[in-house]
PDB file of all heavy atoms in Angstrom:
ATOM      1  N   GLY A 145     152.614  34.793  26.662  1.00 78.00           N
ATOM      2  CA  GLY A 145     153.160  33.694  26.176  1.00 78.00           C
ATOM      3  C   GLY A 145     153.850  33.693  24.741  1.00 78.00           C
ATOM      4  O   GLY A 145     154.110  32.801  24.035  1.00 78.00           O
ATOM      5  N   ASP A 146     153.706  34.984  24.253  1.00 77.00           N
ATOM      6  CA  ASP A 146     154.226  35.210  22.854  1.00 77.00           C
ATOM      7  C   ASP A 146     155.857  35.508  22.770  1.00 77.00           C
ATOM      8  O   ASP A 146     156.423  35.610  21.775  1.00 77.00           O
ATOM      9  CB  ASP A 146     153.628  36.406  22.218  1.00 77.00           C
ATOM     10  CG  ASP A 146     152.117  36.337  22.004  1.00 77.00           C
ATOM     11  OD1 ASP A 146     151.666  35.107  21.935  1.00 77.00           O
ATOM     12  OD2 ASP A 146     151.462  37.275  21.980  1.00 77.00           O
ATOM     13  N   ILE A 147     156.371  35.415  24.060  1.00 79.00           N
ATOM     14  CA  ILE A 147     157.924  35.804  24.017  1.00 79.00           C
ATOM     15  C   ILE A 147     158.549  34.593  24.785  1.00 79.00           C
ATOM     16  O   ILE A 147     158.177  34.092  25.679  1.00 79.00           O
ATOM     17  CB  ILE A 147     158.037  37.121  24.829  1.00 79.00           C
ATOM     18  CG1 ILE A 147     159.499  37.695  24.644  1.00 79.00           C
ATOM     19  CG2 ILE A 147     157.581  37.015  26.113  1.00 79.00           C
ATOM     20  CD1 ILE A 147     159.523  39.080  24.981  1.00 79.00           C
ATOM     21  N   GLU A 148     159.754  34.346  24.266  1.00 79.00           N
ATOM     22  CA  GLU A 148     160.570  33.348  24.944  1.00 79.00           C
ATOM     23  C   GLU A 148     161.470  34.017  25.787  1.00 79.00           C
ATOM     24  O   GLU A 148     162.299  34.959  25.538  1.00 79.00           O
ATOM     25  CB  GLU A 148     161.352  32.431  23.845  1.00 79.00           C
ATOM     26  CG  GLU A 148     160.489  31.500  23.144  1.00 79.00           C
ATOM     27  CD  GLU A 148     161.421  30.573  22.295  1.00 79.00           C
ATOM     28  OE1 GLU A 148     162.490  30.149  22.674  1.00 79.00           O
ATOM     29  OE2 GLU A 148     161.027  30.303  21.264  1.00 79.00           O
ATOM     30  N   VAL A 149     161.611  33.516  27.075  1.00 81.00           N
ATOM     31  CA  VAL A 149     162.469  34.036  28.133  1.00 81.00           C
ATOM     32  C   VAL A 149     163.156  33.004  28.852  1.00 81.00           C
ATOM     33  O   VAL A 149     162.698  32.018  29.145  1.00 81.00           O
ATOM     34  CB  VAL A 149     161.605  34.909  29.027  1.00 81.00           C
ATOM     35  CG1 VAL A 149     162.338  35.464  30.214  1.00 81.00           C
ATOM     36  CG2 VAL A 149     160.808  35.910  28.317  1.00 81.00           C
ATOM     37  N   GLU A 150     164.464  33.175  29.137  1.00 84.00           N
ATOM     38  CA  GLU A 150     165.238  32.345  30.001  1.00 84.00           C
ATOM     39  C   GLU A 150     164.692  32.500  31.401  1.00 84.00           C
ATOM     40  O   GLU A 150     164.378  33.611  31.779  1.00 84.00           O
ATOM     41  CB  GLU A 150     166.639  32.594  29.880  1.00 84.00           C
ATOM     42  CG  GLU A 150     167.283  32.225  28.613  1.00 84.00           C
ATOM     43  CD  GLU A 150     168.865  32.529  28.681  1.00 84.00           C
ATOM     44  OE1 GLU A 150     169.373  32.378  29.661  1.00 84.00           O
ATOM     45  OE2 GLU A 150     169.332  32.682  27.540  1.00 84.00           O
ATOM     46  N   GLU A 151     164.507  31.390  32.033  1.00 89.00           N
ATOM     47  CA  GLU A 151     164.022  31.367  33.454  1.00 89.00           C
ATOM     48  C   GLU A 151     162.765  32.209  33.690  1.00 89.00           C
ATOM     49  O   GLU A 151     162.725  33.065  34.403  1.00 89.00           O
ATOM     50  CB  GLU A 151     165.118  31.887  34.318  1.00 89.00           C
ATOM     51  CG  GLU A 151     166.336  30.974  34.251  1.00 89.00           C
ATOM     52  CD  GLU A 151     167.411  31.630  35.302  1.00 89.00           C
ATOM     53  OE1 GLU A 151     167.975  32.632  34.950  1.00 89.00           O
ATOM     54  OE2 GLU A 151     167.589  30.924  36.311  1.00 89.00           O
ATOM     55  N   GLU A 152     161.764  31.874  32.915  1.00 89.00           N
ATOM     56  CA  GLU A 152     160.462  32.565  32.974  1.00 89.00           C
ATOM     57  C   GLU A 152     159.871  32.657  34.281  1.00 89.00           C
ATOM     58  O   GLU A 152     159.469  33.727  34.759  1.00 89.00           O
ATOM     59  CB  GLU A 152     159.545  31.817  31.956  1.00 89.00           C
ATOM     60  CG  GLU A 152     158.168  32.625  31.974  1.00 89.00           C
ATOM     61  CD  GLU A 152     157.257  31.980  30.909  1.00 89.00           C
ATOM     62  OE1 GLU A 152     157.590  31.419  29.831  1.00 89.00           O
ATOM     63  OE2 GLU A 152     155.978  32.093  31.173  1.00 89.00           O
ATOM     64  N   ASP A 153     159.878  31.468  35.110  1.00 92.00           N
ATOM     65  CA  ASP A 153     159.215  31.634  36.469  1.00 92.00           C
ATOM     66  C   ASP A 153     160.057  32.449  37.331  1.00 92.00           C
ATOM     67  O   ASP A 153     159.616  33.120  38.162  1.00 92.00           O
ATOM     68  CB  ASP A 153     159.353  30.196  36.960  1.00 92.00           C
ATOM     69  CG  ASP A 153     158.259  29.266  36.337  1.00 92.00           C
ATOM     70  OD1 ASP A 153     157.250  29.709  35.715  1.00 92.00           O
ATOM     71  OD2 ASP A 153     158.401  27.932  36.414  1.00 92.00           O
ATOM     72  N   ARG A 154     161.370  32.569  37.191  1.00 94.00           N
ATOM     73  CA  ARG A 154     162.245  33.353  37.996  1.00 94.00           C
ATOM     74  C   ARG A 154     162.035  34.799  37.697  1.00 94.00           C
ATOM     75  O   ARG A 154     161.838  35.664  38.680  1.00 94.00           O
ATOM     76  CB  ARG A 154     163.762  33.037  37.767  1.00 94.00           C
ATOM     77  CG  ARG A 154     164.619  33.774  38.664  1.00 94.00           C
ATOM     78  CD  ARG A 154     166.065  33.299  38.598  1.00 94.00           C
ATOM     79  NE  ARG A 154     166.902  33.815  39.598  1.00 94.00           N
ATOM     80  CZ  ARG A 154     167.846  34.768  39.230  1.00 94.00           C
ATOM     81  NH1 ARG A 154     167.860  35.168  38.087  1.00 94.00           N
ATOM     82  NH2 ARG A 154     168.507  35.308  40.261  1.00 94.00           N
ATOM     83  N   MET A 155     161.864  35.127  36.424  1.00 94.00           N
ATOM     84  CA  MET A 155     161.650  36.553  36.140  1.00 94.00           C
ATOM     85  C   MET A 155     160.225  36.949  36.595  1.00 94.00           C
ATOM     86  O   MET A 155     160.014  37.995  36.979  1.00 94.00           O
ATOM     87  CB  MET A 155     161.771  36.684  34.564  1.00 94.00           C
ATOM     88  CG  MET A 155     163.103  36.558  33.996  1.00 94.00           C
ATOM     89  SD  MET A 155     164.338  37.581  34.794  1.00 94.00           S
ATOM     90  CE  MET A 155     163.938  39.157  34.050  1.00 94.00           C
ATOM     91  N   ARG A 156     159.284  36.093  36.453  1.00 95.00           N
ATOM     92  CA  ARG A 156     157.831  36.503  36.973  1.00 95.00           C
ATOM     93  C   ARG A 156     157.945  36.654  38.518  1.00 95.00           C
ATOM     94  O   ARG A 156     157.419  37.747  38.955  1.00 95.00           O
ATOM     95  CB  ARG A 156     156.872  35.288  36.717  1.00 95.00           C
ATOM     96  CG  ARG A 156     155.479  35.520  37.180  1.00 95.00           C
ATOM     97  CD  ARG A 156     154.578  34.413  36.886  1.00 95.00           C
ATOM     98  NE  ARG A 156     154.373  34.333  35.422  1.00 95.00           N
ATOM     99  CZ  ARG A 156     154.854  33.326  34.665  1.00 95.00           C
ATOM    100  NH1 ARG A 156     155.613  32.441  35.112  1.00 95.00           N
ATOM    101  NH2 ARG A 156     154.601  33.430  33.393  1.00 95.00           N
ATOM    102  N   ASP A 157     158.653  35.814  39.273  1.00 96.00           N
ATOM    103  CA  ASP A 157     158.757  35.994  40.738  1.00 96.00           C
ATOM    104  C   ASP A 157     159.509  37.323  41.094  1.00 96.00           C
ATOM    105  O   ASP A 157     159.100  38.048  41.971  1.00 96.00           O
ATOM    106  CB  ASP A 157     159.541  34.870  41.367  1.00 96.00           C
ATOM    107  CG  ASP A 157     158.683  33.517  41.261  1.00 96.00           C
ATOM    108  OD1 ASP A 157     157.418  33.730  41.133  1.00 96.00           O
ATOM    109  OD2 ASP A 157     159.298  32.509  41.511  1.00 96.00           O
ATOM    110  N   LEU A 158     160.541  37.606  40.196  1.00 96.00           N
ATOM    111  CA  LEU A 158     161.291  38.835  40.464  1.00 96.00           C
ATOM    112  C   LEU A 158     160.375  40.089  40.216  1.00 96.00           C
ATOM    113  O   LEU A 158     160.601  41.058  40.911  1.00 96.00           O
ATOM    114  CB  LEU A 158     162.606  38.791  39.623  1.00 96.00           C
ATOM    115  CG  LEU A 158     163.728  38.046  40.116  1.00 96.00           C
ATOM    116  CD1 LEU A 158     164.841  38.000  39.004  1.00 96.00           C
ATOM    117  CD2 LEU A 158     164.235  38.489  41.428  1.00 96.00           C
ATOM    118  N   ALA A 159     159.572  39.947  39.151  1.00 97.00           N
ATOM    119  CA  ALA A 159     158.606  41.064  38.893  1.00 97.00           C
ATOM    120  C   ALA A 159     157.771  41.225  39.957  1.00 97.00           C
ATOM    121  O   ALA A 159     157.505  42.461  40.446  1.00 97.00           O
ATOM    122  CB  ALA A 159     158.000  40.895  37.594  1.00 97.00           C
ATOM    123  N   TRP A 160     157.121  40.170  40.506  1.00 97.00           N
ATOM    124  CA  TRP A 160     156.133  40.359  41.650  1.00 97.00           C
ATOM    125  C   TRP A 160     156.885  40.811  42.871  1.00 97.00           C
ATOM    126  O   TRP A 160     156.308  41.777  43.567  1.00 97.00           O
ATOM    127  CB  TRP A 160     155.508  39.047  41.956  1.00 97.00           C
ATOM    128  CG  TRP A 160     154.396  38.671  41.012  1.00 97.00           C
ATOM    129  CD1 TRP A 160     154.349  37.606  40.263  1.00 97.00           C
ATOM    130  CD2 TRP A 160     153.155  39.425  40.737  1.00 97.00           C
ATOM    131  NE1 TRP A 160     153.113  37.557  39.464  1.00 97.00           N
ATOM    132  CE2 TRP A 160     152.391  38.747  39.796  1.00 97.00           C
ATOM    133  CE3 TRP A 160     152.716  40.603  41.289  1.00 97.00           C
ATOM    134  CZ2 TRP A 160     151.198  39.174  39.372  1.00 97.00           C
ATOM    135  CZ3 TRP A 160     151.417  41.046  40.851  1.00 97.00           C
ATOM    136  CH2 TRP A 160     150.779  40.313  39.956  1.00 97.00           C
ATOM    137  N   LEU A 161     158.063  40.360  43.142  1.00 97.00           N
ATOM    138  CA  LEU A 161     158.845  40.732  44.267  1.00 97.00           C
ATOM    139  C   LEU A 161     159.224  42.253  44.188  1.00 97.00           C
ATOM    140  O   LEU A 161     158.930  43.010  45.133  1.00 97.00           O
ATOM    141  CB  LEU A 161     160.140  39.921  44.409  1.00 97.00           C
ATOM    142  CG  LEU A 161     160.895  40.073  45.768  1.00 97.00           C
ATOM    143  CD1 LEU A 161     159.971  39.592  46.942  1.00 97.00           C
ATOM    144  CD2 LEU A 161     162.124  39.233  45.768  1.00 97.00           C
ATOM    145  N   SER A 162     159.590  42.707  43.126  1.00 97.00           N
ATOM    146  CA  SER A 162     159.859  44.154  42.800  1.00 97.00           C
ATOM    147  C   SER A 162     158.614  44.949  42.990  1.00 97.00           C
ATOM    148  O   SER A 162     158.727  46.027  43.559  1.00 97.00           O
ATOM    149  CB  SER A 162     160.489  44.321  41.435  1.00 97.00           C
ATOM    150  OG  SER A 162     161.668  43.602  41.311  1.00 97.00           O
ATOM    151  N   LEU A 163     157.571  44.482  42.428  1.00 97.00           N
ATOM    152  CA  LEU A 163     156.347  45.233  42.553  1.00 97.00           C
ATOM    153  C   LEU A 163     155.892  45.446  44.029  1.00 97.00           C
ATOM    154  O   LEU A 163     155.527  46.567  44.503  1.00 97.00           O
ATOM    155  CB  LEU A 163     155.104  44.610  41.826  1.00 97.00           C
ATOM    156  CG  LEU A 163     154.828  44.885  40.370  1.00 97.00           C
ATOM    157  CD1 LEU A 163     153.727  44.150  39.736  1.00 97.00           C
ATOM    158  CD2 LEU A 163     154.595  46.381  40.209  1.00 97.00           C
ATOM    159  N   ALA A 164     156.000  44.435  44.853  1.00 97.00           N
ATOM    160  CA  ALA A 164     155.586  44.396  46.231  1.00 97.00           C
ATOM    161  C   ALA A 164     156.444  45.426  46.897  1.00 97.00           C
ATOM    162  O   ALA A 164     155.945  46.137  47.736  1.00 97.00           O
ATOM    163  CB  ALA A 164     155.835  43.070  46.849  1.00 97.00           C
ATOM    164  N   ARG A 165     157.708  45.407  46.565  1.00 96.00           N
ATOM    165  CA  ARG A 165     158.600  46.332  47.204  1.00 96.00           C
ATOM    166  C   ARG A 165     158.303  47.741  46.932  1.00 96.00           C
ATOM    167  O   ARG A 165     158.444  48.726  47.847  1.00 96.00           O
ATOM    168  CB  ARG A 165     160.139  46.042  47.007  1.00 96.00           C
ATOM    169  CG  ARG A 165     160.514  44.745  47.557  1.00 96.00           C
ATOM    170  CD  ARG A 165     161.891  44.324  47.158  1.00 96.00           C
ATOM    171  NE  ARG A 165     162.323  43.031  47.790  1.00 96.00           N
ATOM    172  CZ  ARG A 165     163.312  42.307  47.447  1.00 96.00           C
ATOM    173  NH1 ARG A 165     164.069  42.750  46.315  1.00 96.00           N
ATOM    174  NH2 ARG A 165     163.604  41.160  48.082  1.00 96.00           N
ATOM    175  N   VAL A 166     157.992  48.146  45.538  1.00 97.00           N
ATOM    176  CA  VAL A 166     157.611  49.363  45.231  1.00 97.00           C
ATOM    177  C   VAL A 166     156.351  49.960  45.928  1.00 97.00           C
ATOM    178  O   VAL A 166     156.297  51.064  46.575  1.00 97.00           O
ATOM    179  CB  VAL A 166     157.501  49.509  43.784  1.00 97.00           C
ATOM    180  CG1 VAL A 166     157.042  50.860  43.356  1.00 97.00           C
ATOM    181  CG2 VAL A 166     158.866  49.345  43.077  1.00 97.00           C
ATOM    182  N   TYR A 167     155.372  49.005  46.127  1.00 96.00           N
ATOM    183  CA  TYR A 167     154.030  49.280  46.638  1.00 96.00           C
ATOM    184  C   TYR A 167     154.303  49.539  48.137  1.00 96.00           C
ATOM    185  O   TYR A 167     153.781  50.503  48.727  1.00 96.00           O
ATOM    186  CB  TYR A 167     153.022  48.186  46.428  1.00 96.00           C
ATOM    187  CG  TYR A 167     152.465  48.118  44.996  1.00 96.00           C
ATOM    188  CD1 TYR A 167     152.386  47.064  44.346  1.00 96.00           C
ATOM    189  CD2 TYR A 167     152.069  49.351  44.356  1.00 96.00           C
ATOM    190  CE1 TYR A 167     151.734  46.880  43.056  1.00 96.00           C
ATOM    191  CE2 TYR A 167     151.485  49.302  43.067  1.00 96.00           C
ATOM    192  CZ  TYR A 167     151.233  47.994  42.503  1.00 96.00           C
ATOM    193  OH  TYR A 167     150.707  48.007  41.200  1.00 96.00           O
ATOM    194  N   TYR A 168     154.980  48.679  48.759  1.00 95.00           N
ATOM    195  CA  TYR A 168     155.238  48.776  50.171  1.00 95.00           C
ATOM    196  C   TYR A 168     155.944  50.160  50.511  1.00 95.00           C
ATOM    197  O   TYR A 168     155.630  50.825  51.439  1.00 95.00           O
ATOM    198  CB  TYR A 168     156.185  47.595  50.657  1.00 95.00           C
ATOM    199  CG  TYR A 168     156.585  47.706  52.181  1.00 95.00           C
ATOM    200  CD1 TYR A 168     155.636  47.299  53.235  1.00 95.00           C
ATOM    201  CD2 TYR A 168     157.739  48.150  52.560  1.00 95.00           C
ATOM    202  CE1 TYR A 168     155.989  47.472  54.561  1.00 95.00           C
ATOM    203  CE2 TYR A 168     157.997  48.392  53.856  1.00 95.00           C
ATOM    204  CZ  TYR A 168     157.051  47.925  54.937  1.00 95.00           C
ATOM    205  OH  TYR A 168     157.440  48.077  56.182  1.00 95.00           O
ATOM    206  N   THR A 169     157.021  50.456  49.770  1.00 93.00           N
ATOM    207  CA  THR A 169     157.658  51.712  49.944  1.00 93.00           C
ATOM    208  C   THR A 169     156.717  52.815  49.666  1.00 93.00           C
ATOM    209  O   THR A 169     156.723  53.976  50.490  1.00 93.00           O
ATOM    210  CB  THR A 169     158.877  51.898  49.133  1.00 93.00           C
ATOM    211  OG1 THR A 169     159.753  50.689  49.173  1.00 93.00           O
ATOM    212  CG2 THR A 169     159.618  53.220  49.295  1.00 93.00           C
ATOM    213  N   ALA A 170     155.997  52.792  48.666  1.00 92.00           N
ATOM    214  CA  ALA A 170     155.069  53.999  48.378  1.00 92.00           C
ATOM    215  C   ALA A 170     153.931  54.150  49.389  1.00 92.00           C
ATOM    216  O   ALA A 170     153.475  55.192  49.665  1.00 92.00           O
ATOM    217  CB  ALA A 170     154.489  53.724  46.963  1.00 92.00           C
ATOM    218  N   ALA A 171     153.642  53.010  49.960  1.00 93.00           N
ATOM    219  CA  ALA A 171     152.568  53.008  51.093  1.00 93.00           C
ATOM    220  C   ALA A 171     152.963  53.686  52.307  1.00 93.00           C
ATOM    221  O   ALA A 171     152.250  54.118  53.069  1.00 93.00           O
ATOM    222  CB  ALA A 171     152.155  51.438  51.404  1.00 93.00           C
ATOM    223  N   ASN A 172     154.228  53.753  52.655  1.00 88.00           N
ATOM    224  CA  ASN A 172     154.818  54.343  53.847  1.00 88.00           C
ATOM    225  C   ASN A 172     155.287  55.785  53.481  1.00 88.00           C
ATOM    226  O   ASN A 172     156.294  56.005  52.958  1.00 88.00           O
ATOM    227  CB  ASN A 172     156.082  53.534  54.300  1.00 88.00           C
ATOM    228  CG  ASN A 172     155.626  52.196  54.854  1.00 88.00           C
ATOM    229  OD1 ASN A 172     154.928  52.167  55.943  1.00 88.00           O
ATOM    230  ND2 ASN A 172     155.859  51.166  54.167  1.00 88.00           N
ATOM    231  N   LYS A 173     154.550  56.704  54.052  1.00 85.00           N
ATOM    232  CA  LYS A 173     154.887  58.174  53.997  1.00 85.00           C
ATOM    233  C   LYS A 173     155.107  58.559  55.256  1.00 85.00           C
ATOM    234  O   LYS A 173     154.342  58.404  56.213  1.00 85.00           O
ATOM    235  CB  LYS A 173     153.745  58.937  53.169  1.00 85.00           C
ATOM    236  CG  LYS A 173     153.436  58.382  51.932  1.00 85.00           C
ATOM    237  CD  LYS A 173     154.423  58.890  50.869  1.00 85.00           C
ATOM    238  CE  LYS A 173     154.077  58.493  49.427  1.00 85.00           C
ATOM    239  NZ  LYS A 173     155.090  58.428  48.517  1.00 85.00           N
ATOM    240  N   VAL A 174     156.058  59.550  55.425  1.00 83.00           N
ATOM    241  CA  VAL A 174     156.334  60.165  56.687  1.00 83.00           C
ATOM    242  C   VAL A 174     156.276  61.775  56.406  1.00 83.00           C
ATOM    243  O   VAL A 174     156.814  62.185  55.480  1.00 83.00           O
ATOM    244  CB  VAL A 174     157.789  59.848  57.171  1.00 83.00           C
ATOM    245  CG1 VAL A 174     158.106  60.672  58.421  1.00 83.00           C
ATOM    246  CG2 VAL A 174     157.945  58.316  57.398  1.00 83.00           C
ATOM    247  N   ASP A 175     155.409  62.306  57.204  1.00 82.00           N
ATOM    248  CA  ASP A 175     155.135  63.729  56.973  1.00 82.00           C
ATOM    249  C   ASP A 175     156.446  64.542  57.439  1.00 82.00           C
ATOM    250  O   ASP A 175     156.907  64.252  58.492  1.00 82.00           O
ATOM    251  CB  ASP A 175     154.028  64.260  57.813  1.00 82.00           C
ATOM    252  CG  ASP A 175     153.505  65.588  57.643  1.00 82.00           C
ATOM    253  OD1 ASP A 175     154.364  66.513  57.814  1.00 82.00           O
ATOM    254  OD2 ASP A 175     152.301  65.855  57.428  1.00 82.00           O
ATOM    255  N   ASP A 176     156.919  65.319  56.566  1.00 83.00           N
ATOM    256  CA  ASP A 176     158.114  66.046  56.636  1.00 83.00           C
ATOM    257  C   ASP A 176     158.054  67.051  57.903  1.00 83.00           C
ATOM    258  O   ASP A 176     159.049  67.300  58.581  1.00 83.00           O
ATOM    259  CB  ASP A 176     158.555  66.857  55.447  1.00 83.00           C
ATOM    260  CG  ASP A 176     159.065  65.858  54.395  1.00 83.00           C
ATOM    261  OD1 ASP A 176     159.435  64.727  54.691  1.00 83.00           O
ATOM    262  OD2 ASP A 176     158.920  66.301  53.078  1.00 83.00           O
TER     263      ASP A 176
END
């Protein structure tokens, strides 16, 4: 809460969405 951000809720949601996508991609491994 120490920083002012435009559209704070939107940025939070985008961070969570981006994290989910990174984790999902990293979770799926195909043996070469």
